[in-house]
Amino acid sequence: MPDERDTRANHSMHTIPGNQMPRDPALEPYDSYNRELESHVHPPDWVNPQPNGRYNLVVIGAGTAGLVTAAGAAGLGAKVALIERSLMGGDCLNVGCVPSKGIISAARVARTIRGADEFGIDVPDGTKAEFSRVMERMRRLRAEISPNDAATRFRDLGVDVFLGEAKFTGSNSVRVGEQTLEFRKAVIATGARASAPPIPGLQEVPYLTNETLFSLTELPGRFGVIGAGPIGCEMAQAFASLGSEVLLVEAAHGILPIEDPEASEIVGRSLQQDGVRLLCCGKELKLSGDDGSIRMSVESHERSYDERVDQLLVSAGRAPNVQGLGLETVGVEFDARKGVTVDDRMRTTNPNIYAAGDVCSRYKFTHAADFMARIVIQNALFKGRSKASALTIPWCTYTSPEVAHVGLSEKEAQDRGVAIDTYTQHFADVDRAILAGETDGFVKVHTHKGTDRIAGATIVASHAGDMISEITLAMTHGLGLKKIGSTIHPYPTQAESIRKLGDQYNRTRLTPLVKSLFQKWLAWTR
Ligand SMILES: Cc1cc2nc3c(=O)[nH]c(=O)nc-3n(C[C@H](O)[C@H](O)[C@H](O)COP(=O)(O)OP(=O)(O)OC[C@H]3O[C@@H](n4cnc5c(N)ncnc54)[C@H](O)[C@@H]3O)c2cc1C
């Protein structure tokens, strides 16, 4: 089982004057942007309100799941308390989507400039990213976005915001600091954190996780990444594009293991073209400290590698935050790896307590946390019967090209015995992709066999994350490929590839019998 120690312990903490909480490592460097961020998401002078009677809903954790639950419930008139032990906004704002996509945006600019020659554009002095400015820009934009998640904003929405660690003390009560909050219903929205895999030597070397990566101010000359899931691939490619020598080690056979193998292969190629050294099937990985650097010894495809890196990112899985909440005392079942056990209505094994987001779901995405929160509001407060299984949840990995997916993959369909037809449109035959020099990609749609009803799709494209929504919309509202084929898409766009799949489907309806009937009709009406 992975060692799930709190990775924060690996890094220095500072105490905020007048506040006994250590300062979150995400707030380093403690510059004007991070002070602005802090003033919104963990105001140092915050005074918790006095609880006043029983709450309809106590929400633990102010990440996406908690914030959406609290704001939605308060908006409907519920008396709501929201408890956050660290930074409001959770992973997404502080150490996840927002900072990672800020860095990726800069890396993409560097990458585009480097590829300018292919377009006949001469960039005389080459490209050199100034990493400190890239990170400063990210911190500025993160601070700019942060008022959305601010403690004061939620207070103004009518939510009682408590900063502190929450722990259940009874089936209808939670303690935060010295205060006890009584509730009718509670929601566990405590998220997840980077898990530390059992790699020999890991505990002895300094390493980064998503909680500390975004505090870097200097570009690591040599950057090691363990784990080629979405976070590992996104960061490996971004740091390589910004100028690091990147070594990406993955224990499995290939990168992005849950994606369509053809998609993973394209992204793997792209990572390597951007300078990432990729060691898949990495076995016997050992780490040790070595003269200020970190030594990574690993075997890959029967060759031994002995490499040194200046910084190491561990992105090898996420562990739910289930410890220290007193879940055992209130009859909430959980698993240290899978998180809080919930039924299809997001209810835990204690009927008064619900859960939402990364702490209870295998879909660890902001938009998934958002929609689970909406289910919780309906079911916890209004005896609703909304089901998580009814959600159609897409996702996207923001590499270049991006990989976006929704619904069943070919393998899942096979495993579940679902018969499918597959329609693929490669970008080598899509004019806009050809003109943009982005032909390495595709749209693949699986339909239930013999019908145009979409079972799943994968898109590999520069903006696959935007394109997948058309297919998600179709799946959510029961529109088939035929309808997509009859929808006019502007020419030339990469989204036209989706319409072309509709044409592919329509051609399958033109059976020899139908064709001969058409021919007879046309001959008769000539
Ligand atoms: C590097 C990275 C990049 C990502 N990029 C994307 C992306 O591009 N798109 C996407 O959709 N998703 C992305 N994600 C995933 C996304 O960030 C999460 O799915 C999302 O934040 C989950 O929200 P949540 O509310 O469930 O949990 P969290 O955001 O983790 O929030 C949980 C909150 O609970 C608090 N908490 C925990 N225990 C307690 C306690 N006992 N008392 C009080 N408070 C407590 C925590 O401090 C935290 O603030 C990324 C994640 C990472 C790490």
Side-chain angles (χ1 to χ4, degrees), residues 8 60-67 83-98 100-101 164-167 189-193 210 214 231 234-235 318 321 323-325 356-359 363-369 396 398:
R8 284 160 210 249
I60 304 177
T64 306
L67 292 174
I83 310 172
E84 171 55 53
R85 70 174 175 191
S86 181
L87 306 181
M88 293 190 51
D91 275 9
C92 182
L93 172 68
N94 301 292
V95 290
C97 329
V98 169
S100 63
K101 271 74 230 179
E165 180 117 19
K167 185 170 184 171
T190 50
R193 64 185 184 284
N210 68 295
F214 304 112
I231 298 171
E234 287 180 3
M235 291 299 100
R318 312 279 301 159
N321 291 324
Q323 314 297 351
L325 281 161
D358 283 10
V359 74
Y363 295 104
K364 294 191 178 1
F365 308 109
T366 294
H367 45 279
C396 181
Y398 297 88

Side-chain angles (χ1 to χ4, degrees), residues 345 354 375-387:
R345 301 201 156 84
Y354 288 71
I375 289 180
V376 166
I377 295 171
Q378 293 168 39
N379 294 352
L381 295 179
F382 300 102
K383 298 189 187 299
R385 306 196 60 76
S386 301
K387 291 182 176 181

Side-chain angles (χ1 to χ4, degrees), residues 36-338:
E36 187 187 339
L37 173 70
E38 182 187 48
S39 72
H40 293 136
V41 298
H42 194 110
D45 55 354
W46 187 259
V47 178
N48 285 342
Q50 278 305 318
N52 170 20
R54 186 157 71 162
Y55 289 97
N56 291 102
L57 203 61
V58 167
V59 183
I60 304 177
T64 306
L67 292 174
V68 173
T69 311
L76 293 168
K79 188 170 148 69
V80 181
L82 174 64
I83 310 172
E84 171 55 53
R85 70 174 175 191
S86 181
L87 306 181
M88 293 190 51
D91 275 9
C92 182
L93 172 68
N94 301 292
V95 290
C97 329
V98 169
S100 63
K101 271 74 230 179
I103 295 173
I104 287 171
S105 300
R108 285 183 177 181
V109 172
R111 200 173 180 271
T112 304
I113 294 171
R114 256 184 225 118
D117 189 53
E118 136 80 12
F119 294 83
I121 295 164
D122 203 13
V123 183
D125 299 327
T127 317
K128 190 174 176 306
E130 265 186 62
F131 187 73
S132 62
R133 286 178 53 209
V134 168
M135 297 305 270
E136 190 181 306
R137 172 182 179 274
M138 177 277 286
R139 292 195 300 277
R140 173 169 56 80
L141 299 178
R142 180 173 61 179
E144 235 172 83
I145 291 173
S146 65
N148 278 334
D149 298 351
T152 47
R153 173 169 178 251
F154 278 76
R155 182 186 60 200
D156 296 346
L157 291 172
V159 175
D160 280 357
V161 176
F162 294 83
L163 296 183
E165 180 117 19
K167 185 170 184 171
F168 287 101
T169 46
S171 222
N172 289 90
S173 61
V174 167
R175 202 176 54 231
V176 49
E178 300 303 310
Q179 293 172 306
T180 296
L181 317 186
E182 303 288 331
F183 62 81
R184 181 85 193 207
K185 297 277 172 6
V187 184
I188 303 165
T190 50
R193 64 185 184 284
S195 52
I199 299 171
L202 182 63
Q203 310 303 338
E204 281 79 56
V205 298
Y207 65 90
L208 303 162
T209 67
N210 68 295
E211 288 178 6
T212 44
L213 175 71
F214 304 112
S215 296
L216 288 180
T217 50
E218 277 177 37
L219 182 73
R222 298 164 301 178
F223 187 49
V225 180
I226 298 177
I231 298 171
C233 287
E234 287 180 3
M235 291 299 100
Q237 190 177 37
F239 275 70
S241 301
L242 294 172
S244 287
E245 276 175 32
V246 179
L247 177 69
L248 173 58
V249 177
E250 165 60 50
H253 173 64
I255 66 163
L256 299 176
I258 66 161
E259 300 295 351
D260 183 295
E262 209 186 330
S264 307
E265 207 182 302
I266 292 176
V267 175
R269 233 175 10 240
S270 172
L271 257 60
Q272 286 171 314
Q273 276 160 10
D274 285 346
V276 175
R277 280 182 65 209
L278 182 57
L279 298 183
C280 288
C281 298
K283 307 257 177 310
E284 308 288 331
L285 175 61
K286 287 190 203 74
L287 302 168
S288 55
D290 191 17
D291 281 344
S293 63
I294 301 157
R295 186 170 169 186
M296 300 174 77
S297 314
V298 63
E299 280 175 25
S300 166
H301 298 290
E302 279 154 41
R303 265 193 66 188
S304 298
Y305 294 83
D306 192 17
E307 305 286 334
R308 278 155 190 77
V309 295
D310 303 307
Q311 295 278 4
L312 175 66
L313 171 68
V314 175
S315 53
R318 312 279 301 159
N321 291 324
V322 287
Q323 314 297 351
L325 281 161
L327 299 182
E328 307 82 351
T329 59
V330 287
V332 171
E333 277 177 21
F334 65 94
D335 176 288
R337 265 181 345 114
K338 292 187 189 153

